[in-house]
Amino acid sequence: LFHGPPGTGKTYLTRALAGKLEFNYIELEASDLTSSLVGEAADNVSEVFEVAKNNQPCLVFLDEIDAITAERSGGRQKTMSESQMITQFLTEMSSLGDTDVVFIAATNLPDAIDGAAWRRFDKRIEVPPPDAEGRQAVLETLLEERPTDDESINWEALGSMTNGYTPSDLELVVNAAARAALAETDETGTFQQITQRHIKTGIRNTDTSLDAWTHG
């Protein structure tokens, strides 16, 4: 189970892991499984795991697992469809012991997950926002395929300036920097390289999503 704030790279890590292992890969969101029809959601869960077992080795990734296995608040009882789906889900997870199927789920709300589902995961890994060195590496990676004036850029300073930014936030920063550089393209059509100044503009124009997530 990967847990952490939105935008920290949980999905990216899972895709990278599947590629590194050379496993077949199934990626799902909770909405791909749920249904208001009695029995259909449970059948959807069963079908996914059957496909995975028939295509071993396989990695199955489910994003926003809390939408399926969350404890219900306010006294609302689970519908029959929800109960059947959760029961089938827990049964399928328990059946993977002797297979080459790896199941990874992600959530932004680990405290909301039903205790029975939580205990099914033998590893629970936090995916936090990157530190300064990590943010620097993300920025370098995002900019390596773009026309960038590397000599003007102080990567260490940018890593410090982006405290609290997730990888998805940093992607927005780079896109904003590229737009700022494009706006300075001269009349000859010569493209202005992305500089430290453009990236700082991108930072000023991009709010960290963690503030909204923390206070939302």
Side-chain angles (χ1 to χ4, degrees), residues 113-171:
I113 295 178
D114 176 87
W118 178 264
R119 290 188 293 272
R120 288 297 196 283
F121 291 98
D122 57 357
K123 296 186 186 304
R124 297 177 283 273
I125 301 171
E126 182 182 7
V127 184
D131 59 15
E133 184 177 348
R135 294 190 298 273
Q136 176 182 332
V138 170
L139 285 169
E140 291 187 51
T141 300
L142 291 171
L143 284 162
E144 64 183 4
E145 299 297 328
R146 295 177 182 263
T148 305
D149 181 9
D150 292 322
E151 293 184 0
S152 75
I153 296 178
N154 183 332
W155 297 107
E156 185 174 349
L158 291 175
S160 298
M161 291 167 55
T162 50
N163 183 40
Y165 283 67
T166 67
S168 60
D169 294 333
L170 295 175
E171 186 172 13

Side-chain angles (χ1 to χ4, degrees), residues 31-63:
S31 59
D32 295 322
L33 301 176
T34 55
S35 173
S36 59
L37 300 177
V38 175
E40 185 170 71
D43 289 343
N44 291 341
V45 171
S46 179
E47 182 180 356
V48 166
F49 282 89
E50 181 178 0
V51 169
K53 291 173 183 177
N54 289 337
N55 290 276
Q56 300 180 50
C58 186
L59 191 156
V60 180
F61 174 63
L62 174 62
D63 197 10

Side-chain angles (χ1 to χ4, degrees), residues 168-185:
S168 60
D169 294 333
L170 295 175
E171 186 172 13
L172 295 177
V173 167
V174 169
N175 290 339
R179 288 194 297 271
L182 182 62
E184 296 178 3
T185 299

Side-chain angles (χ1 to χ4, degrees), residues 12-28:
Y12 179 86
L13 283 173
T14 309
R15 292 172 180 169
L17 178 61
K20 185 70 173 179
L21 295 174
E22 298 184 349
F23 273 31
N24 293 312
Y25 182 61
I26 300 173
E27 183 174 312
L28 303 163

